[in-house]
Amino acid sequence: MNRRLLFQRKPFQWLYPRLLKCVLLFIFLGGLTLLAQASPSAGQVTKNIIIRGHVTDSSGQPLQGVNVTVSGSTLGTATDANGNYTISIPDGYTGRTLTFSYTGFVSQQIAIGGKTVINASMKTAGNVLGDVVVVGYGTQRKISLTGAVNQVTAKDIEKQPVTNVLQALQGESPNLIIQQTSFVPGGGVNLNIRGLGTLGDNTPLVVIDGIIGGDINLLNPNDIASVSILKDAGSAAIYGSRSANGVILITTKSGKLNQKPTVSYNGTYGIQHAYVPLKKVSAWENAYYKNESLVNSGLPPVYTPEDIQRLQAQGNGDWERQNILHDAPQQSHNITVSGGSPASAYLISAGYQEQASNLVGNGGSGSNFGYRKYNFRLNQTSIIGRFKLNTILSYVKSQNKNHSNADWVIFADADRVPLNYSFQDSLGRYLTNPVAAQYNVKSVLEKGGYNQTDNDQVFGNLNGELKITKDLKLTGVFGGTLNSNTDDFRRMMVNNYPSGVYGDDRSVFDNSFKTMFLNSQLYAEYNKSISAHNFKVLIGGSNESYTSKGFQLQKTLTDPALGTPTTGTIVDPNNSYNTISATTETSINSVFGRLSYSYNNRYFLEGDFREDGSSKFAKSKRWGFFPSIAGSWVLSEESFLKPLQNVFNVLKLRSSYGVLGNQNVNAYQYQTSYFNYPNAYAFNNTTVGGAGYTLGNPDLTWEKAATFNAGLDASFLNNKLSLSLDYFNKTTSDILYSRQDVPAIFGAGFPDYNVAKVNNKGWEVSASYLLRTGAVTQTFSFNVADNKNKLLALTYGSNEQIFNADVFSFIRRVGEPITQYYGYKTNGFFQNSQDVATYPKPAGVSVAPGDLKFVDQNNDGVIDEKDKVILGNPFPRYTFGFTYRLAVKGFDLQLFIQGVGKRDAFLRGEEVEPFHYNYGATMYENQTDFWTPTHPDAKYPRLAAIGSSSNTNNWRMGSDIYKFNAAYARLKNINVGYTLPVSVSERVGIQRLRVSVIAQNLLTLSKLNFIDPETSEFNNNLYLGSSSNSARSYPLPIFYGAGLEITFN
Amino acid sequence: MKFPNKLILAAFALMVIAGCKKLDLAPTDRFTELNFWTSSENVNNALNNIYSGMYTSNKYFYHEALSDNAYTAQGSSTGNVDVIASGSFTSALPKFEGDWAFYYSGIKSCNLFLANVDQNKTLPADVLTRMKAEVRFIRAWHHFNLMKWWGDVPLLDHDITPDEAKVIPRTPRATVLKFITDELEAAAAVLPSKDQYSSADNGRITNAAALALEARVLLYEGNRMQDVAAICEKIMNNPGKYGEYGLAPNYGDLFSDPTVNKTNSESILSLQYVPNLRTWSEDFDFAPRSAGARTNNLAPTQELVDDYVMTNGKPITDPTSGYDINNPYSNRDPRLTATIVYDRYVWKNPNGTTQIIYIKPGSDPDRAALNEYSPNGQGSATGYYWRKYFDPNASAGFASGLNLHLIRYAEVLLMYAEAKNSLGQMDASVWDKTIKPIRARAGFTDPAALDYPGNSDMTNIIRRERRAEFAMEGLRIDDIRRWKIAEVVLNGYAHGARFGDPSVDNGYIRVQKRQFDPSKNYLWPIPAAELQLDSKLTQNPGY
């Protein structure tokens, strides 16, 4: 096995043969089209008139493929890629009219009347089929799409007061699944398209303004012009080795040629209120229940009747979640200046967004906790003859300040102390108590230090387009992103009363890392229309390279007041490292291409491919080829469907098949490596370094997803109702997964192997209905989708992997959805002593009436491992979104509901189990429906002391006692606005002025009602090692605010 | 084409090409298989890594709660030892898989080292030989632990492939035992004594450590006492060859004094730590809370407290011992005070001052009453805390650099006493070489405790002596299992101090109901997941 690193002198050696192939293909296709062009001869009519013209849409964009016909004849042509057409008619026809028709647009008739130049501007027919959709390396009209692409535009995004684009996208597109697992400002979300297709990373590829791999979180939502979601192989294959999870293409706003300069402002300001549905029982009730749990287990009560009376008399303290949360502002302000001359256009925007944290305090110094983002963007286009240059520059600064501990610790400590206690006494001292003995979470928030990240991102993109001939265009793109991130952390010491100290390690650290991403692309497009035939060829190559470097320095026992080094300060060697230890480099070289053909706007055929070579794999496994083929058929253009034209305005079928790749794995995994680390052991009171190793897998290569898609787009009732359906079936093989077939006796962990296989299929429906009655316009848009994954192979010989997540388990089993909950199924309660005597029990456990019974699946009279079954699926199913828009004169309303139709959530911890592990000493109102002899049909078993056999039976066995129904529907956004009539606003020089009131997350309906149903323990691959969900997460903020939009020109 | 266009085009083409990066990229901070072993520094580091994987402080302390010495309330954070003690567990308990994987991972590191180290051509041959012996010791140590808990276990004397791992059968216990003792003897023949090592190597495995471990392995067999006695004699009688060992003058200092803990003539093998750099911090959850501990998660039981004899050497159950149930902690084995914190204990603070630890409910004059027993609080569940291994110099969070003793000379002496007693050879001369000096060092002064008592109850005397001497050092559970007394001492309630309802168990708090089934529980179940993946593995009886 030769795994030496070869430093190649000729990095392009591999490329030549491939480029040659592409060039030959290109020449061949070019020749073909030229030949085709030569064959049709001009009409044999003696005298002809040539009419030329230019056809655009209402925004001035050229329209390609518009049918131009002469009334009462069979003469006709179609516009080319630049929207131009030429038609030759007999001179006797000058009295006739030209008909311009294009699916998705209103047909137009223009009398010839002797003119030789006839231009037309077409209006869309009220549905979206005429819209321009951004696709990989270009744009297409929706009608000509062969793949499954959804587009979300600025109007869907900009009315939502969010700091993160993904929050605004949730529910907007079917099967664009966005799950906000924590609501902390600046917190992450789970994002995937069409659910889970792999056990590895399911994150879609993000392409921003043509550059692969941007950070969607850093975008200013206000800067976005459109978001295209490429879901199937037909649309995504051009992105090859990273497209298996789908692609999100984001285009930012740009200026337009020939446009007066305009200045616009829009902003929102509002207050977020933290919604905490969780309620502790009162102090005296808590004591009463505690006694009950002890007495039920044969132990003496700890509270005397007098104690309980005293607790009742003195009332509750304030040790509750609510009291470490406060209302906090959220705001955004954006200014955009744009304009354009005939040869250039520009757009400059600046934005500021702030989401303050609902957690109280500032950590002891500086500003309050929260997230702030500053965006600046410049988009400039110049046209120099046949050359067009588009330059995009953006700068983003994002800052997030958090406390010096983990959120879950803060909420757990707020939750586990009963209401007997308060955070502070009358002197303002932070109190500790027998439950929270060491520190007080309020003191941590208010005095205990901070964790502050400060990230700068510069993005630049030069895009040059050169028109070589009328039909041939060459595009070069050079772009890159430079990220510079710092994290500055300080834990400060707080002495609590009467005892307990927080932060006595007084640690301070600085972390810095920079990433540099460079992308160069060069591609040629050839476009030819010959009568009703249209050909397009695109061929290109690109390189992407990525470098990340970082370092960290941590010191402990610093000066308590300043955080600076002082006597006794030490550099923490286990948490400090240099750049050498934190450098990662990856690179990908690619060749890609597309061939599309359409006939008469009725038949569309497209083939795409990409070939990628990635540094993440060994030389022989490095190159992957990813092709796709797609077609569509506009049935409504067929003569046999013309009689039904009153029913179907448009009816289109499309289908695609292709093989896509996924290479979302860590770099260097194919090499076995040894690393040294400090302080492994010690001799003679002096530490020594150690050496560890990481096994490599030289055979590592891509995951491959074979994807089939079939779809239907239709529009009815005079284009008022439009409908889109999609079905997909995707099988991902060679999924990178660690081996689960090898027992621990082997003695070491494994790198990833190409071993697993997953099938994922599902459907999507989106519909929208436009209703105009007099001055009232209403739009109803609805989308719903489902996907169902199934594990087809896990790892070599093994078909099952069980992971114990605290009390219950996760399972991956072949033939079942990727990850599910696993354990015992409950079967009500032991109701009487006869039940106790006869019903099967776990070995060694003694139970009493009121304890849980489990289903003895194999009827062997004992509850053991063999009785464990699959209990639920944590992945969201039937995700949906509903938007209602209403416009009446100057008033407008937008209402948005989003939700999940089916999801199982397992929750554990103090919020579920009474007096959880003795770690929690509380009960909550949601736990009080427990069994007693007089309440035998309760939800929960009887109370029992922690450590008792009953408690072990009821709460330690890992049963569906922890299962909750996490389906929900959320009224996510309401926006009511009023726009001043232009006639009024223009008097003060304002083109448009709109004011609005906004509410967000106003109402959530769910059976899981003591925490937010969206919270999840899983990231987006349902990673087995995710720790179980204790619902100790940051609460849902409910936002109320107002907005203002002004445009001047 | 206009000139500027050409220029711009050319510039783009250049940028595209310049942007290309080679695809053969290597990490900057690691070695490959080919160049790793050739460096002596790396070989040393590989060996150090094996040392660091020898054992964990968590196992060292929390295994006490498997025995009748201690109780842990929050088992989930400490490997579920409480569940094992309760007797209600299955083969899927994570602790079994975790420990099994820990030992086999240690064995793999050893086997990889032994398979590859000869690639190194720069280290002197004698150094390489010594290093290999150190590794062979640790490999035997891991096998011993496996055998101790599970009985028959796969014996791995070479590095195995994943495919081999899937079909490896259990090796009969006798073969594993033979392998362990052979390896230890081979290592002992090569390794230097502690006095032959340079001081910089203080803490490395010595020939005495190899012999002492062999003695322990054979002692646990129960039927090899002749060999045990012979091995102990080697260590006791050949200071020139095996190093000069003796008992440290002060029992408490051996664990808590930063100097004595590291430089004494008693330690044969310790897990090595260094303040601030390589530390353990379990004591954060053991010590009295008024001493700065966060909570209590390992509490000594009444059963342990009761087994410390009186200063006159008599057990408290002896009516003539002078034990006073209302003043239970006075006139007791001085090691009780060195080990356990009881109600009204006088605690020595690191700054030299003292504080009284009030544990009895309602007795603390301080309103905070941090140490008081409450069934509802974060304090001790038994009404006792630990003093042994308290580090007065620990940094924040009780991060301690004190060494944890794995094998002490006192153990050699007590193994010798036990072996001799089993062989019927216990007499005053053996006593005077073993238990007498251990008790004298512990602080006994009464001749009734120090002098040879005759053979009246010698087995129990030795057993109590081991329990008192090694409390909190993880040996008690081993002793219970090899003496086969678990069905007695690990059945029924574990208790705490006498703060409870006087009508229940004479007022001693019940802390956990325990069960032990002698028909199966003397061996742990083979982890469920391993059985599934290794087709040749079989389960222990009863699981």
Side-chain angles (χ1 to χ4, degrees), chain A residues 126-167:
Chain A
N127 60 42
V128 294
L129 289 170
D131 287 355
V132 174
V133 176
V134 178
V135 296
Y137 302 96
T139 58
Q140 282 178 6
R141 292 282 158 190
K142 184 143 201 247
I143 190 67
S144 65
L145 284 177
T146 52
V149 181
N150 286 111
Q151 182 158 283
V152 179
T153 55
K155 75 173 192 306
D156 303 308
I157 297 170
E158 62 196 8
K159 282 187 183 157
Q160 301 194 45
V162 293
T163 51
N164 186 313
V165 177
L166 290 171
Q167 291 168 351

Side-chain angles (χ1 to χ4, degrees), chain A residues 722-734:
Chain A
S722 60
L723 180 71
S724 209
L725 308 173
D726 270 282
Y727 164 82
F728 67 92
N729 190 337
K730 170 165 136 179
T731 300
T732 310
S733 49
D734 283 352

Side-chain angles (χ1 to χ4, degrees), chain A residues 163-432:
Chain A
T163 51
N164 186 313
V165 177
L166 290 171
Q167 291 168 351
L169 288 176
Q170 189 180 34
E172 292 287 357
S173 169
N175 258 339
L176 172 67
I177 300 171
I178 292 169
Q179 205 181 6
Q180 195 158 4
T181 54
S182 161
F183 294 95
V184 67
V189 295
N190 283 349
L191 166 68
N192 63 70
I193 295 174
R194 289 184 161 175
L196 305 184
T198 172
L199 305 179
D201 191 346
N202 283 280
T203 311
L205 180 71
V206 175
V207 179
I208 299 173
D209 288 325
I211 302 292
I212 285 171
D215 186 351
I216 201 166
N217 297 302
L218 290 178
L219 283 174
N220 180 351
N222 193 59
D223 282 342
I224 290 179
S226 74
V227 179
S228 291
I229 297 120
L230 313 186
K231 297 175 170 177
D232 69 333
S235 56
I238 195 111
Y239 290 107
S241 71
R242 280 145 316 153
S243 58
N245 298 324
V247 183
I248 295 181
L249 293 182
I250 294 177
T251 308
T252 60
K253 289 176 182 166
S254 56
K256 288 181 185 140
L257 299 175
N258 303 311
Q259 185 201 42
K260 271 205 293 182
T262 57
V263 179
S264 63
Y265 164 84
N266 81 57
T268 58
Y269 184 90
I271 295 295
Q272 316 160 76
H273 173 72
Y275 176 60
V276 185
L278 190 70
K279 298 268 183 300
K280 283 176 191 166
V281 299
S282 64
W284 75 268
E285 286 173 303
N286 201 68
Y288 179 83
Y289 290 138
K290 179 71 189 181
N291 277 356
E292 184 168 342
S293 77
L294 294 167
V295 171
N296 280 348
S297 306
L299 295 169
V302 287
Y303 297 98
T304 62
E306 298 77 55
D307 287 339
I308 293 179
Q309 272 167 16
R310 186 177 46 77
L311 285 170
Q312 193 165 14
Q314 80 190 24
N316 292 334
D318 74 352
W319 195 292
E320 271 200 284
R321 254 182 199 221
Q322 281 85 337
N323 298 313
I324 51 166
L325 294 163
H326 60 177
D327 288 350
Q330 176 176 326
Q331 57 184 316
S332 91
H333 304 281
N334 301 287
I335 291 178
T336 309
V337 182
S338 67
S341 69
S344 79
Y346 63 89
L347 180 138
I348 300 165
S349 82
Y352 169 68
Q353 296 162 74
E354 180 189 7
Q355 185 185 4
S357 173
N358 283 123
L359 286 168
V360 300
N362 65 353
S365 74
S367 59
N368 281 356
F369 300 129
Y371 181 73
R372 286 167 199 84
K373 187 161 71 175
Y374 306 80
N375 290 78
F376 176 80
R377 178 172 287 270
L378 168 74
N379 186 320
Q380 209 274 342
T381 306
S382 303
I383 296 172
I384 314 152
R386 288 194 290 178
F387 187 71
K388 181 171 142 193
L389 179 69
N390 179 241
T391 309
I392 300 174
L393 257 180
S394 94
Y395 168 73
V396 188
K397 179 182 239 352
S398 71
Q399 291 174 314
N400 200 357
K401 180 172 173 180
N402 213 333
H403 51 86
S404 63
N405 212 318
D407 278 349
W408 73 265
V409 175
I410 297 293
F411 291 113
D413 279 7
D415 290 348
R416 69 197 179 107
V417 175
L419 274 173
N420 321 13
Y421 301 101
S422 288
F423 288 116
Q424 281 166 292
D425 63 9
S426 55
L427 300 173
R429 293 182 294 200
Y430 296 105
L431 302 174
T432 51

Side-chain angles (χ1 to χ4, degrees), chain A residues 302 434 437 543 677 685 741 744, chain B residues 19 49 166 262 289 375 378 530:
Chain A
V302 287
N543 169 271
Y677 65 96
N685 210 26
D741 62 322
Chain B
N49 183 55
K166 288 159 81 167
K262 303 208 170 207
R289 293 175 59 221
Q378 300 283 295
E530 292 292 283

Side-chain angles (χ1 to χ4, degrees), chain A residues 5 12 302-303 387 434 437 499 543 547 580 622 674 676-677 680 682 684-685 689 691 740-741 743-744 746 844, chain B residues 8 19 21 24 26 28 31 42 45 48-49 52 108 165-166 199 202 262 272 278 289 370 375-376 378 515 530 533:
Chain A
L5 299 173
F12 268 111
V302 287
Y303 297 98
F387 187 71
S499 72
N543 169 271
T547 309
I580 282 172
R622 185 167 287 162
Y674 288 78
N676 288 323
Y677 65 96
N684 203 34
N685 210 26
Q740 300 302 324
D741 62 322
F746 175 66
Chain B
I8 292 164
K21 203 165 194 164
D24 292 298
T28 55
F31 295 93
N42 288 348
N45 280 347
N48 299 339
N49 183 55
S52 87
K108 181 166 197 81
K166 288 159 81 167
S199 63
N202 183 11
K262 303 208 170 207
Q272 305 279 309
R278 180 176 145 78
R289 293 175 59 221
L370 287 172
N376 212 6
Q378 300 283 295
Q515 293 175 84
E530 292 292 283
L533 297 174

Side-chain angles (χ1 to χ4, degrees), chain A residues 980-988 991:
Chain A
L980 216 58
V982 180
S983 55
V984 179
S985 60
E986 267 186 346
R987 277 183 229 156
V988 286
Q991 189 196 22

Side-chain angles (χ1 to χ4, degrees), chain A residues 853-914:
Chain A
K853 292 202 287 198
F854 305 109
V855 178
D856 181 17
Q857 301 283 354
N858 61 355
N859 291 312
D860 64 351
V862 66
I863 302 297
D864 59 17
E865 287 298 309
K866 299 180 198 90
D867 297 309
K868 287 188 173 175
V869 288
I870 286 168
L871 298 174
N873 184 350
F875 194 74
R877 304 271 310 271
Y878 309 109
T879 51
F880 60 89
F882 171 74
T883 308
Y884 171 70
R885 289 192 179 88
L886 168 73
V888 192
K889 294 182 177 159
F891 289 94
D892 65 90
L893 162 74
Q894 180 175 313
L895 185 146
F896 178 45
I897 295 168
Q898 163 271 329
V900 167
K902 187 171 189 286
R903 185 169 89 85
D904 299 319
F906 268 53
L907 298 171
R908 64 171 277 278
E910 60 278 344
E911 294 172 20
V912 177
E913 182 196 0

Side-chain angles (χ1 to χ4, degrees), chain B residues 216-244:
Chain B
R216 188 194 279 182
V217 171
L218 294 172
L219 181 81
Y220 286 13
E221 291 304 298
N223 56 4
R224 300 284 298 273
M225 293 304 187
Q226 196 77 54
D227 300 309
V228 175
I231 296 167
C232 292
E233 276 169 4
K234 276 196 205 174
I235 303 170
M236 291 158 69
N237 302 336
N238 294 294
K241 185 164 182 197
Y242 296 111
E244 182 91 46

